Amino acid sequence: MAGFRSLARQVRDPRSDLALRRYSLRKCLERFAPYGHRATWDHLCSRAGFGPEDRSPEPARLVAALEELEEARAVWLAYEVAFAERRRKEKHDGLRRPGSVDDWHRLTWGGFGVAWCDDPTVHPAAPLAEVLRRLITALEREPGDSCPVCADTALVWQHDLAHEPSSGPVCSHCGIVVPRPVLTDAAVAESRRVRQLVTA
């Protein structure tokens, strides 16, 4: 099975059939898809200027989408290296029990669903790398009361999400499932209260 870098080479290869290049870009999302496969594809297509169902997009647009994905992947891989180093140090210092950030991180190892968007057509408009930088910054500071990506405070608790965790606070503006470790208990409670008002 081809890895991310091998697939990326196929996307860039001007000698390859255009359909294969598009297919290879889609396959890259099986290795790294911060919003989930469908939402990340929708995001990349809209940012690069071709339709999700376009079977023959311009090669330059495919490469532009790949470059955005690669930049985001580099940001996430650097975070994972730093995360692993921190956990090694904590274990060495006797802290064996992982915290809430660690529990969340375990569900997103490799970068799949880091900023899960349950509705594939609703996702942040900013470049993927910028979204991940904002998310990582939020994970490394004290919890707050807003979405770490767009700073909106309109969070609504949703059940039956198509990704783990299966329920959580969703940003009404940018559509991400906000990681619970970046929110205060009061913000989480408010998102649950808003859901009850919406469903009542």
Side-chain angles (χ1 to χ4, degrees):
M1 181 166 36
F4 185 94
R5 285 181 292 189
S6 175
L7 290 165
R9 280 193 297 274
Q10 290 175 10
V11 175
R12 284 193 170 89
D13 187 353
R15 297 164 301 173
S16 288
D17 176 71
L18 188 56
L20 175 61
R21 294 174 72 178
R22 180 187 180 277
Y23 174 78
S24 296
L25 180 60
R26 289 293 303 253
K27 292 294 281 183
C28 283
L29 301 184
E30 292 179 9
R31 311 304 185 273
F32 181 72
Y35 303 153
H37 190 283
R38 291 171 56 214
T40 304
W41 178 250
D42 191 79
H43 169 88
L44 292 174
C45 292
S46 63
R47 297 242 335 136
F50 62 93
E53 300 303 321
D54 187 348
R55 297 292 176 203
S56 54
E58 294 176 27
R61 294 183 188 276
L62 284 176
V63 172
L66 174 65
E67 287 172 349
E68 179 172 347
L69 188 64
E70 287 176 320
E71 183 184 0
R73 184 172 179 263
V75 168
W76 187 251
L77 291 177
Y79 170 73
E80 287 196 333
V81 167
F83 176 88
E85 181 57 35
R86 177 181 63 80
R87 283 299 295 141
R88 270 193 296 279
K89 185 177 182 321
E90 287 174 349
K91 287 178 182 177
H92 179 267
D93 295 343
L95 182 63
R96 297 282 176 190
R97 186 167 186 193
S100 61
V101 171
D102 304 308
D103 290 340
W104 170 82
H105 187 265
R106 180 179 43 79
L107 298 174
T108 60
W109 188 259
F112 186 82
V114 172
W116 181 262
C117 297
D118 217 50
D119 180 343
T121 63
V122 180
H123 43 73
L128 279 172
E130 180 58 30
V131 168
L132 293 184
R133 285 186 194 101
R134 292 176 191 173
L135 185 60
I136 290 166
T137 298
L139 289 165
E140 295 173 342
R141 68 173 184 239
E142 291 298 310
D145 62 355
S146 63
C147 172
V149 171
C150 69
D152 200 300
T153 56
L155 307 178
V156 179
W157 192 269
Q158 288 188 14
H159 291 285
D160 301 320
L161 299 171
H163 182 65
E164 284 298 321
S166 60
S167 62
V170 175
C171 178
S172 298
H173 181 256
C174 72
I176 74 160
V177 178
V178 180
R180 290 190 55 190
V182 308
L183 295 173
T184 62
D185 290 342
V188 172
E190 176 64 11
S191 73
R192 289 178 188 265
R193 188 187 72 76
V194 169
R195 180 190 186 279
Q196 290 171 348
L197 291 174
V198 170
T199 57

